[in-house]
Amino acid sequence: MITTTRFALVDCNSFYVSCERVFRPELEGVPVVVLSNNDGCVIARSNEAKALGIKMGTPYFQLKDLVKREGVEVFSSNYELYGDMSRRVVSTLSQFTPNLEVYSIDECFLDLSHLRPEEVEEYGVKIKKTVQDWTGIPVSVGVAGTKTLAKVANKLAKKRVGANGVLALNEQAEIEEALRETQVGDVWGIGRQHAKRLQQLNVTSAWDLCRMPEGWVKKNMAVTGLRTLLELRGQPCQDLEPEAPDKQNICTSRSFGRALTELKDIEEALSTHTVRCATKLRKQNSCATGVNVFLMTNRFAVTEDIYCNSRTIQLPTPTNSELELLPRALHLLKGMFRPGKRYVKVGIILTGLVPASEVQLDLFSSQNGEKHAKLMDTLDTLRQRFGHQALKYAVQGNHYEKAVKEEKRAPWMLQKQFLSSLYTTSVAGVLNIKT
């Protein structure tokens, strides 16, 4: 049987907003926004919020009057909820094909090469309905012969009248029409600078880009641009990646809930970030060869000196043990800390990652690798079952991120004034049904 390469891109509509609405159905038709860390700026909007003129990235403090006047519902980012809902969507999509790629928290590519062209659109409708029924999350489905064209189809599926969230580009005439409707800056892989340059050359649509000479594109937009061009012409250049490639560096950092001046508070934050970072490291079965810690004050301060610093240390033996990483991270922090300054952010980057199975041991190392590995495995198991704050090191303090009382929350923890419940991952957050 001869098969034709065919990709589907399934994209969750206004994902963060949709997650909140699943458990608050009365918010359907109501303007809703979700804010970034520390309730800083808008990172997700419902269609109703867009209609009010609310832009992505708008600082929340600028919207307070509009929020009150128009009855806009506001939520802090609830990443634990969004992550779990994303896993449910992916699990649902895996019912339709064993070959899928989780591209982001709200997008998946599916391999539909087993379908005939006349079956594709009906299959897309079935995918959309099943995800909605099983998870409550509305999605759009775009299907085409390449990933880039599937992106184009998905975007048009959301805004074309009559598409109802599903669009398949099977025929060349359909592809050409879709490319003419798509602005060149909306093409996947075309950055802002490339889009600006192309527009100066009167290349305003994806169709215009599709007709550009390959030599010019490769010379001026590198190999990545050439791949985009070929994919727009229907030639697949990107395969599915069912397994995400291991990261070369792992970073964990957060802005503080307020400016900090005490070393102890910053040590608590850095220790917590280090534990999170080490957990991610072990999850991909890697070890780090280097540790980088950075510390900074407010870059936009006008009444005080700006201070940013970063220090790195190479480890004698690659490790993913918190017992090895914590003291080194704290040592780097103490070397950078300057009394009297108001710090707003600290972070850690684990660098030079190598597979845990290929670690070159040091003859003079005192580290008991087997003992550390068993301890870390036990900690990971307990944290996965009872939550990341179930077991902590003393240097992390006795504060709790989800504490109701403010005195139980550390000053470095993020502000989450509008945080919703953990409906799917915490017994305390399970909805009560009153009859």
Side-chain angles (χ1 to χ4, degrees):
M1 177 181 178
I2 298 176
T3 61
T4 301
T5 303
R6 189 171 287 111
F7 298 97
L9 175 65
V10 180
D11 182 18
C12 301
N13 301 338
S14 302
F15 181 57
Y16 293 173
V17 170
S18 295
C19 289
E20 301 291 354
R21 280 177 165 173
V22 168
F23 305 96
R24 294 279 305 277
E26 73 274 14
L27 296 182
E28 290 293 339
V30 175
V32 179
V33 297
V34 177
L35 304 178
S36 63
N37 289 340
N38 275 327
D39 296 338
C41 58
V42 175
I43 58 171
R45 308 161 293 162
S46 67
N47 289 332
E48 296 80 7
K50 295 175 185 177
L52 293 175
I54 298 176
K55 306 294 185 183
M56 286 287 284
T58 303
Y60 173 64
F61 74 87
Q62 295 181 1
L63 297 173
K64 287 186 176 180
D65 290 341
L66 177 65
V67 166
K68 185 176 181 180
R69 183 173 67 251
E70 300 292 341
V72 179
E73 290 286 338
V74 180
F75 290 92
S76 303
S77 296
N78 191 341
Y79 294 119
E80 187 170 337
L81 171 65
Y82 307 153
D84 186 65
M85 293 301 291
S86 176
R87 287 188 288 273
R88 291 167 187 246
V89 171
V90 172
S91 177
T92 303
L93 293 175
S94 66
Q95 309 298 313
F96 294 93
T97 175
N99 301 319
L100 61 84
E101 172 189 339
V102 180
Y103 179 67
S104 67
I105 192 172
D106 62 345
E107 292 178 290
C108 278
F109 284 105
L110 280 64
D111 181 5
L112 301 186
S113 300
H114 61 286
L115 299 176
R116 294 192 297 270
E118 61 271 18
E119 299 175 325
V120 171
E121 190 159 341
E122 182 180 351
Y123 204 71
V125 172
K126 185 178 180 181
I127 291 173
K128 176 180 171 63
K129 184 178 186 303
T130 304
V131 174
Q132 176 87 55
D133 291 345
W134 289 16
T135 69
I137 301 295
V139 300
S140 298
V141 183
V143 186
T146 70
K147 281 184 171 182
T148 304
L149 285 174
K151 277 271 193 178
V152 170
N154 186 280
K155 185 174 286 289
L156 292 177
K158 295 180 180 181
K159 64 180 184 180
R160 263 194 188 177
V161 177
N164 295 320
V166 179
L167 179 63
L169 301 178
N170 293 315
E171 304 295 333
Q172 184 57 39
E174 295 172 334
I175 295 174
E176 180 176 338
E177 182 183 1
L179 295 179
R180 290 183 184 276
E181 290 183 47
T182 304
Q183 295 294 313
V184 70
D186 291 335
V187 175
W188 186 39
I190 301 298
R192 186 175 301 175
Q193 292 302 318
H194 282 317
K196 184 177 179 180
R197 183 175 185 184
L198 289 167
Q199 288 165 357
Q200 290 172 347
L201 298 173
N202 291 324
V203 178
T204 59
S205 69
W207 176 246
D208 295 333
L209 175 60
C210 192
R211 295 185 297 167
M212 292 290 286
E214 293 182 16
W216 186 93
V217 172
K218 183 176 181 180
K219 178 180 178 181
N220 293 277
M221 301 173 64
V223 175
T224 303
L226 179 60
R227 288 175 184 162
T228 299
L229 173 69
L230 295 176
E231 289 230 332
L232 290 176
R233 292 177 177 176
Q235 180 179 330
C237 298
Q238 303 179 71
D239 295 326
L240 283 182
E241 295 184 8
E243 297 291 335
D246 288 343
K247 297 179 179 179
Q248 299 303 306
N249 299 299
I250 294 180
C251 174
T252 302
S253 68
R254 293 287 186 277
S255 296
F256 303 140
R258 57 181 174 84
L260 301 180
T261 58
E262 299 296 324
L263 176 61
K264 178 180 178 297
D265 293 330
I266 302 175
E267 285 180 330
E268 284 188 13
L270 179 61
S271 299
T272 301
H273 297 340
T274 302
V275 170
R276 293 272 187 179
C277 225
T279 303
K280 297 176 188 177
L281 188 63
R282 293 191 295 273
K283 189 174 183 180
Q284 74 168 38
N285 294 315
S286 296
C287 290
T289 62
V291 178
N292 173 274
V293 173
F294 57 90
L295 178 67
M296 62 180 66
T297 61
N298 188 350
R299 293 178 297 166
F300 306 102
V302 293
T303 59
E304 54 190 83
D305 292 336
I306 299 174
Y307 176 75
C308 300
N309 204 341
S310 172
R311 292 193 178 184
T312 302
I313 188 173
Q314 293 301 311
L315 302 172
T317 303
T319 183
N320 56 24
S321 169
E322 296 158 11
L323 300 180
E324 295 290 326
L325 296 171
L326 272 170
R328 288 174 168 84
L330 294 173
H331 174 75
L332 293 175
L333 173 64
K334 290 176 181 177
M336 291 185 290
F337 180 80
R338 302 290 183 269
K341 295 190 178 297
R342 292 162 45 84
Y343 299 97
V344 299
K345 189 174 186 178
V346 72
I348 179 172
I349 306 174
L350 300 181
T351 61
L353 306 190
V354 297
S357 59
E358 300 177 11
V359 170
Q360 181 68 46
L361 299 179
D362 187 327
L363 180 63
F364 303 102
S365 175
S366 60
Q367 176 181 332
N368 189 329
E370 184 178 351
K371 183 178 180 180
H372 281 207
K374 289 181 179 179
L375 177 58
M376 294 303 110
D377 185 59
T378 301
L379 290 176
D380 289 339
T381 301
L382 291 172
R383 288 168 181 159
Q384 186 174 9
R385 182 176 180 182
F386 299 107
H388 226 275
Q389 295 185 316
L391 287 171
K392 301 197 298 182
Y393 297 90
V395 71
Q396 292 180 258
N398 62 348
H399 303 94
Y400 295 91
E401 192 171 356
K402 300 179 182 65
V404 176
K405 294 183 178 180
E406 193 64 30
E407 61 267 22
K408 285 293 184 180
R409 288 177 53 84
W412 56 267
M413 290 178 176
L414 296 173
Q415 295 181 25
K416 294 185 177 181
Q417 184 180 353
F418 312 104
L419 186 66
S420 56
S421 297
L422 299 176
Y423 300 105
T424 63
T425 58
S426 171
V427 174
V430 173
L431 292 173
N432 294 319
I433 301 176
K434 297 180 181 180
T435 59

